[in-house]
Amino acid sequence: MLKGITFSVIGSALFAVLYYYSTLLTPLDGEQIFGWRTLLTFPFLTAFIWMTRQQHMVITLAKRLAAQPQLILFAIATSIMLGIQLWLFMWAPLHGRALNVSLGYFLLPLTMLLTGRIVYGERLTRWQNLAAGFAAIGVFNEFYQIGTLSWETLLVAFGYPGYFVLRRKIQAANLGGLWFDMALLLPAGVWFILTGKVGFDMIGDHQALYGLIPLLGILSSMALVFYILASQMLPLSLFGLLGYVEPVLLVFVALVLGETISGTQWLTYIPVWIAVSLLILEGAVGLRRMHSNQHK
């Protein structure tokens, strides 16, 4: 579990870097950045799976899809669901919607928490319940201040829980499932690159992209790998609560990009940061206990 918590935090940090990174890829638009991210993540992800000798996950899922063709429809569905989230993540910082998406990620752990309880009957520890309470205060303040939620916020908050539940339902909640999700997105990625204003033949007009685009693939693939590994190691409820680390970082990125937080919105962010601190404290206490038990 402690390894899962560590992987989740690393993944969140990499996603925050990626959030800002999209603004460095001018003159590419959000759709083209999504296309390049998809195209480059796949080979890096493939190399990681084979280097860590986890290709059996891909092979096993491939055999299941061949034996049960009806599962292909579910595989296509999870790929589309993931693709929409990857596109939105790249699109929002370029269009002044970074805070709306970050709010969706604030809501996501609560919707994941609710999903874990309803679908899987999971229970939280005392620390996790306290963290969830603080997080709820922040989220409900945002509801009160805004009065409504943007489509970007709702898409993130309710799209990911459905994605993870569907992947578990078809027994593809592992790197093999992610590999097929990314493989099925390749045609869409190539199409976005070809139809954008900066196609393959125009990259030479923007020399900086030769270095920036490959790094996009590395950041994207490693962030997804850590995120998926954490989802495999942790109960869905704890995995959802740890998701608060990412939106806190995304807010900082949004501020760097010029968006602002009003005075009343601090009642949203401060309780959420307290919730994150409680989870970190719980992890530190657990690590100390484990260390003590090993030396007894």
Side-chain angles (χ1 to χ4, degrees):
M1 184 174 292
L2 289 172
K3 184 183 288 187
I5 292 172
T6 301
F7 284 176
S8 178
V9 172
I10 293 174
S12 294
L14 288 173
F15 277 124
V17 172
L18 193 62
Y19 208 44
Y20 177 79
Y21 193 80
S22 63
T23 64
L24 304 179
L25 295 170
T26 306
L28 301 181
D29 56 26
E31 287 71 27
Q32 280 197 292
I33 295 174
F34 162 76
W36 278 111
R37 182 183 179 186
T38 302
L39 190 64
L40 294 176
T41 296
F42 182 72
F44 283 115
L45 176 62
T46 301
F48 176 84
I49 291 174
W50 258 255
M51 287 173 60
T52 55
R53 299 181 180 180
Q54 300 188 69
Q55 59 266 38
H56 64 278
M57 296 181 181
V58 176
I59 296 171
T60 299
L61 184 54
K63 290 179 178 178
R64 289 183 58 235
L65 292 174
Q68 301 173 273
Q70 66 272 20
L71 292 181
I72 296 176
L73 293 177
F74 289 100
I76 293 173
T78 61
S79 181
I80 292 173
M81 293 168 76
L82 178 62
I84 291 172
Q85 298 295 340
L86 297 182
W87 164 79
L88 180 62
F89 195 84
M90 295 286 91
W91 175 87
L94 301 176
H95 293 81
R97 312 296 288 180
L99 280 177
N100 286 335
V101 170
S102 69
L103 177 58
Y105 281 97
F106 277 133
L107 279 170
L108 178 57
L110 287 183
T111 57
M112 293 280 278
L113 175 67
L114 183 62
T115 302
R117 285 184 170 177
I118 294 175
V119 179
Y120 302 112
E122 295 177 355
R123 293 292 181 267
L124 299 179
T125 66
R126 220 177 271 177
W127 287 85
Q128 293 164 10
N129 274 313
L130 186 59
F134 274 104
I137 292 173
V139 169
F140 283 122
N141 175 69
E142 193 68 15
F143 281 138
Y144 177 76
Q145 298 299 331
I146 297 178
T148 185
L149 292 176
S150 68
W151 64 268
E152 298 99 334
T153 299
L154 292 172
L155 187 57
V156 172
F158 293 99
Y160 268 120
Y163 169 71
F164 284 113
V165 168
L166 186 55
R167 286 191 61 182
R168 289 191 177 192
K169 182 177 178 61
I170 63 174
Q171 300 176 23
N174 53 42
L175 288 175
L178 177 60
W179 188 88
F180 272 99
D181 283 342
M182 297 306 300
L184 292 170
L185 284 174
L186 286 175
V190 172
W191 186 83
F192 277 123
I193 294 172
L194 292 176
T195 58
K197 59 183 179 181
V198 183
F200 288 105
D201 57 335
M202 297 178 63
I203 296 297
D205 297 333
H206 308 278
Q207 297 291 325
L209 293 178
Y210 280 121
L212 292 172
I213 289 176
L215 185 55
L216 172 69
I218 295 173
L219 289 172
S220 177
S221 58
M222 294 311 298
L224 283 171
V225 165
F226 279 113
Y227 194 63
I228 295 300
L229 288 176
S231 73
Q232 293 176 235
M233 297 177 180
L234 299 172
L236 188 62
S237 298
L238 178 56
F239 177 61
L241 279 173
L242 281 168
Y244 276 120
V245 174
E246 184 177 335
V248 170
L249 297 176
L250 297 186
V251 166
F252 284 120
V253 173
L255 295 178
V256 169
L257 294 176
E259 298 189 42
T260 57
I261 300 176
S262 65
T264 55
Q265 286 181 306
W266 286 110
L267 189 55
T268 296
Y269 296 108
I270 290 176
V272 169
W273 292 336
I274 293 174
V276 172
S277 299
L278 288 172
L279 291 175
I280 294 173
L281 182 59
E282 182 188 35
V285 171
L287 182 61
R288 185 174 181 180
R289 287 176 180 171
M290 179 179 293
H291 182 75
S292 298
N293 291 334
Q294 289 175 346
H295 287 78
K296 285 183 179 179

